Amino acid sequence: MRYNPLGQTGLLVSELCFGTMTFGGNGGLWGQIGNLGQQDADALLSRALDAGVNFIDTANVYAEGRSETITGQALKNLGVARDEVVVATKFLGRVGEGPNGAGASRYHILGQAKKSLTRLQLDHIDLYQIHGFDPLTPIEETLEALDTLVRQGLVRYVGVSNWAAWQIAKALGISERKNLAPFRSLQAYYTIAGRDLEREVVPMLTSEKVGLMVWSPLAGGFLSGKYSRDDEKSGDGRRATFDFPPVDKDRGYAVIDEMRKIAEAHSVSVAQIALSWLLHQKVVTSVIIGAKRMDQLDDNLAAVEVRLSDDELKTLDQVSRLAPEYPGWMLERQSSYRKSEA
């Protein structure tokens, strides 16, 4: 297991992050994703920690708060020292029936941080993330509320999830101008079958030195190896009942065909190749993995041992790369003469 700085900080986090979205679901959407109880959660978390994972991600909306509760209890049951793990959680989604039961307002943020701390049985959150963009609340209000939590010692670092490049860049500018705690990380969807992030977000992250946490690195199971053109509805996979995130299936199957060949050459699973490809991308800080079973977790953890050759990376890049779009192709054309002079 390797460890990377979380953006422009001195905090080191494992290249694989243990995600807890499969904890606590007991029906509806969360039940489809996972309904692990305390005993199973303890076992999975213990295995991840033994493998060198020091980074854990959850959210207040996962299983309506039960995921945070189970995660906190698991840390306590396992006797994990507080300074040996980096705990991240998120806020934004609806957790109450009233008009202020969701969003990124100061009212909602300060209240939800304390509730998350109670469920997690912690005195501080290492990384507190906005789960998405709130079009109603001014960004300044959100950033000032997060800064308050940092100054109070309840939060160490702040991050964001599922924002556009311009929104993050605007927030970073506001934070610098007002001397507020800046976003240190982005949690976003990124896979070899979905490289949209590379158009605008990846260049911004690289320029501003913001870390990248990848969610759903197997595209909701699409890249697990269960699916193919001949079996588009694998009965025991999540996508059989919850077809998300969206994937261009024709393009995705072409990627899987090449991944199978490389997986066979390495004697590993297709899922490990998908995870390894992400771990080879310089912009990636940590890849979030989650599991319902121990064998799934073991397979994902083993991806850190897979080393792809330059030729294999080139093959995967060619079959999965994005089609050029404006202004990207024009920027490349107009800057080429300067690159040659550098």
Side-chain angles (χ1 to χ4, degrees):
M1 188 69 64
R2 293 169 291 270
Y3 301 87
N4 300 314
L6 182 70
Q8 200 169 9
T9 78
L11 180 68
L12 295 175
V13 296
S14 50
E15 61 185 333
L16 293 181
C17 174
F18 184 73
T20 68
M21 195 165 64
T22 58
F23 292 0
N26 61 358
L29 171 63
W30 301 113
Q32 294 176 23
I33 293 173
N35 57 2
L36 299 182
Q38 192 66 57
Q39 185 175 355
D40 289 333
D42 289 1
L44 289 172
L45 181 55
S46 177
R47 177 69 185 91
L49 294 172
D50 288 345
V53 171
N54 77 338
F55 200 13
I56 302 168
D57 180 74
T58 185
N60 65 347
V61 294
Y62 292 168
E64 299 173 341
R66 289 185 295 276
S67 174
E68 284 186 327
T69 299
I70 291 173
T71 299
Q73 189 60 45
L75 291 171
K76 187 173 183 179
N77 291 347
L78 297 172
V80 179
R82 181 65 187 92
D83 59 359
E84 292 299 317
V85 289
V86 177
V87 179
T89 191
K90 301 181 286 292
F91 71 90
L92 182 83
R94 181 155 295 283
V95 291
E97 296 181 359
N100 294 305
S105 68
R106 183 179 185 85
Y107 180 97
H108 189 70
I109 291 172
L110 299 186
Q112 287 305 307
K114 292 181 179 179
K115 290 181 179 179
S116 287
L117 286 168
T118 298
R119 286 190 289 263
L120 290 165
Q121 302 184 58
L122 300 176
D123 63 356
H124 71 273
I125 296 165
D126 295 305
L127 177 64
Y128 201 37
Q129 307 157 97
I130 309 173
H131 213 160
F133 188 71
D134 178 356
L136 181 63
T137 304
I139 293 179
E140 290 85 350
E141 178 180 343
T142 298
L143 296 174
E144 288 169 355
L146 290 171
D147 185 72
T148 295
L149 291 172
V150 172
R151 294 180 186 277
Q152 289 176 345
L154 299 178
V155 167
R156 295 292 189 260
Y157 301 95
V158 296
V160 67
S161 180
N162 303 319
W163 278 29
W166 72 265
Q167 293 167 332
I168 299 172
K170 179 177 179 179
L172 290 174
I174 293 170
S175 294
E176 182 176 12
R177 187 173 71 248
K178 304 188 74 170
N179 194 30
L180 304 173
F183 291 147
R184 296 304 191 184
S185 64
L186 166 69
Q187 188 174 144
Y189 171 66
Y190 184 38
T191 71
I192 193 172
R195 296 174 60 179
D196 306 56
L197 210 68
E198 295 175 4
R199 296 202 187 279
E200 297 286 348
V201 175
V202 166
M204 181 276 301
L205 296 177
T206 302
S207 170
E208 303 306 312
K209 297 181 175 59
V210 175
L212 174 61
M213 299 167 61
V214 176
W215 62 261
S216 199
L218 299 182
F222 181 76
L223 300 175
S224 65
K226 297 177 181 178
Y227 300 91
S228 67
R229 288 185 177 86
D230 298 326
D231 184 10
E232 295 189 12
K233 293 289 185 180
S234 180
D236 61 345
R238 183 199 302 177
R239 279 190 173 267
T241 56
F242 184 48
D243 196 16
F244 183 85
V247 172
D248 181 331
K249 299 294 177 60
D250 288 338
R251 185 163 164 269
Y253 290 135
V255 172
I256 291 174
D257 289 342
E258 293 300 328
M259 288 170 57
R260 287 192 193 282
K261 298 175 187 176
I262 296 174
E264 290 173 2
H266 286 264
S267 298
V268 300
S269 67
V270 172
Q272 286 181 39
I273 299 301
L275 293 171
S276 180
W277 180 85
L278 282 169
L279 295 175
H280 279 76
Q281 306 309 305
K282 292 182 180 180
V283 71
V284 173
T285 303
S286 189
V287 176
I288 302 171
I289 58 171
K292 295 180 182 179
R293 306 189 312 268
M294 191 65 73
D295 62 298
Q296 291 176 329
L297 179 60
D298 285 337
D299 188 76
N300 288 351
L301 290 170
V304 301
E305 304 297 334
V306 179
R307 298 291 185 271
L308 300 176
S309 69
D310 290 342
D311 287 342
E312 289 169 336
L313 288 169
K314 182 178 180 181
T315 296
L316 293 174
D317 178 65
Q318 289 174 340
V319 73
S320 65
R321 70 175 51 170
L322 299 170
E325 283 189 357
Y326 181 84
W329 52 258
M330 195 61 178
L331 291 170
E332 179 66 24
R333 180 183 179 88
Q334 290 185 317
S335 65
S336 60
Y337 78 100
R338 297 294 282 175
K339 290 180 179 179
S340 65
E341 293 173 355

